[in-house]
Amino acid sequence: MKPQQLGSGFLKYVYQKSCDNLCNLWFKFVFFTLNFAFLTFNFFGCAQFKAGSEKWEVRSISFETIEVYNELENLLSPVALDLDGRGNIYILDSGKDRVIKYTKDGRFITQFGGFGLEKGRLNNPSDLSVQNFIYIVDAGNERIVKYDLDGNFLLDFGEFDSPLSLSQDGYGNVYVVDNGDNKIKVYNPRGRLMYEFGEFGWGEGFFYNPNGIAIDNVGNLYIADNGNHRIQVLTNKGRFIRTFGENRLKNPKRIRFWNGFLFCTDESSLYVFNSRGKYINRLNENMPQGIRLKTDIAVDFVGNLYLLENGKIKIIRTKVE
């Protein structure tokens, strides 16, 4: 047998085995990938979902009143409230053009604002949003005013027709509902207008008297499209995703998002939907909690609802079932 023939046969053998091994590896990879796509497992080895179908649990939610703060600081016309990361409560008192800050158990800390046209003053404010900073819709002066959490004035900005409500995303960008223009105007934390979207109408992505706004943990916007009796869901750039609530809502106003649930005030009722728009529950004045909701709501990090009604705060524990 010639040496070159032995070498040639040996190379063919190695080549063939290599191809076989590569093919086996390829089929194993494909098999593993397909199996992983069809089934993922939790720590106990239980299958959770199948590829091509979205995991979504239909859940219910119930309510229990756990606290009521009646003796608040001489409120004249409270219109909005929010919470900071420590649980402190901020109430916007439009009647006295001020913000009042309380501890999480209702003790007075400070107040700031006051009527005026100059910087740091307010004129008929309509909404506030609290995260690392406080932003207030200074409706009478047609601007947004920014404070730190101690109430120190930082800046004001914006050009609006009739600003009504606002919310912040995880980057500190501010989304303002300009009710008069039927638009959403988006500003960065320095008060520079980045972009805007929306116009009057009844179709997808159009607004008729928009009111409250909320932002979920991936940045999607939930807007109370009041005149169209619905909630619209849009991306943070204004691309339409879905609507819901048309068959239930009459006068949707304030909305808040928490842990896959959307809370929406509608006259004297508080509606609860999941983020897909499925109706979950409703809290109203005929229930044992006896709410008479006319203004605003806030939600803390564990899901307790803070209802601002007739100058008092009612705290309601939510129970997800």
Side-chain angles (χ1 to χ4, degrees):
M1 186 178 293
K2 296 181 180 180
Q4 65 268 23
Q5 291 176 327
L6 176 62
S8 176
F10 178 76
L11 290 176
K12 287 181 181 180
Y13 173 81
V14 171
Y15 176 78
Q16 184 63 46
K17 292 298 291 183
S18 299
C19 289
D20 290 343
N21 289 334
L22 285 173
C23 287
N24 287 335
L25 287 173
W26 170 251
F27 283 117
K28 287 179 181 178
F29 173 78
V30 172
F31 179 81
F32 175 81
T33 302
L34 289 174
N35 276 277
F36 183 79
F38 277 100
L39 291 172
T40 61
F41 295 89
N42 62 20
F43 291 117
F44 300 98
C46 298
Q48 290 180 307
F49 67 93
K50 290 186 177 181
S53 64
E54 185 176 7
K55 178 185 177 183
W56 187 260
E57 298 178 5
V58 178
R59 299 181 291 178
S60 64
I61 191 167
S62 58
F63 309 99
E64 176 190 4
T65 300
I66 57 175
E67 189 68 74
V68 178
Y69 298 149
N70 289 308
E71 299 179 2
L72 299 177
E73 182 69 21
N74 193 23
L75 298 173
L76 180 60
S77 181
V79 295
L81 85 161
D82 205 352
L83 312 172
D84 67 20
R86 295 184 175 181
N88 295 317
I89 304 168
Y90 300 76
I91 295 182
L92 183 60
D93 186 358
S94 182
K96 294 187 176 181
D97 303 291
R98 62 178 179 168
V99 178
I100 308 175
K101 180 179 180 180
Y102 300 91
T103 64
K104 61 183 178 182
D105 55 357
R107 290 182 290 108
F108 174 82
I109 298 177
T110 188
Q111 64 179 1
F112 52 93
F115 174 76
L117 307 180
E118 60 270 28
K119 292 183 179 298
R121 296 287 184 166
L122 303 171
N123 177 15
N124 193 30
S126 60
D127 196 15
L128 84 166
S129 176
V130 181
Q131 287 186 15
N132 295 324
F133 298 96
I134 304 167
Y135 291 90
I136 296 177
V137 177
D138 186 14
N141 291 323
E142 297 181 350
R143 64 188 180 188
I144 304 301
V145 183
K146 181 179 181 179
Y147 301 89
D148 66 21
L149 295 180
D150 294 319
N152 299 305
F153 169 76
L154 298 175
L155 60 90
D156 57 45
F157 58 88
E159 295 183 3
F160 305 98
D161 183 280
S162 182
L164 184 59
S165 62
L166 80 171
S167 188
Q168 302 177 59
D169 67 15
Y171 300 98
N173 298 316
V174 182
Y175 296 72
V176 183
V177 176
D178 193 348
N179 179 270
D181 273 347
N182 292 289
K183 290 184 181 297
I184 309 300
K185 298 182 177 179
V186 185
Y187 295 83
N188 69 17
R190 297 181 299 278
R192 182 175 65 84
L193 179 65
M194 297 194 294
Y195 54 89
E196 60 184 53
F197 53 86
E199 58 182 294
F200 173 78
W202 298 272
E204 297 177 351
F206 291 82
F207 304 116
Y208 176 19
N209 188 31
N211 204 296
I213 182 171
I215 304 175
D216 67 17
N217 54 2
V218 297
N220 292 327
L221 311 180
Y222 297 76
I223 299 162
D225 190 6
N226 183 278
N228 288 321
H229 316 292
R230 64 186 180 183
I231 303 295
Q232 285 210 65
V233 187
L234 309 173
T235 68
N236 62 354
K237 299 295 185 182
R239 182 175 60 82
F240 175 81
I241 298 176
R242 71 178 67 88
T243 66
F244 59 87
E246 293 92 336
N247 297 324
R248 293 185 181 274
L249 300 175
K250 296 180 181 179
N251 190 25
K253 288 190 174 180
R254 302 292 191 179
I255 54 178
R256 301 286 185 182
F257 186 89
W258 172 77
N259 195 29
F261 291 102
L262 190 79
F263 302 90
C264 176
T265 68
D266 189 325
E267 298 179 345
S268 292
S269 296
L270 178 67
Y271 284 88
V272 186
F273 301 89
N274 68 26
S275 60
R276 279 291 195 179
K278 177 178 176 58
Y279 170 76
I280 301 296
N281 206 341
R282 181 173 69 130
L283 185 61
N284 61 29
E285 59 188 1
N286 297 320
M287 299 179 72
Q289 292 79 7
I291 71 164
R292 292 171 175 78
L293 190 64
K294 297 298 182 184
T295 46
D296 201 7
I297 57 172
V299 190
D300 67 18
F301 71 97
V302 296
N304 294 322
L305 299 175
Y306 290 68
L307 309 183
L308 180 61
E309 50 179 36
N310 301 326
K312 66 181 180 181
I313 296 175
K314 181 176 292 186
I315 305 176
I316 294 180
R317 178 185 292 123
T318 59
K319 182 180 179 182
V320 178
E321 299 170 343

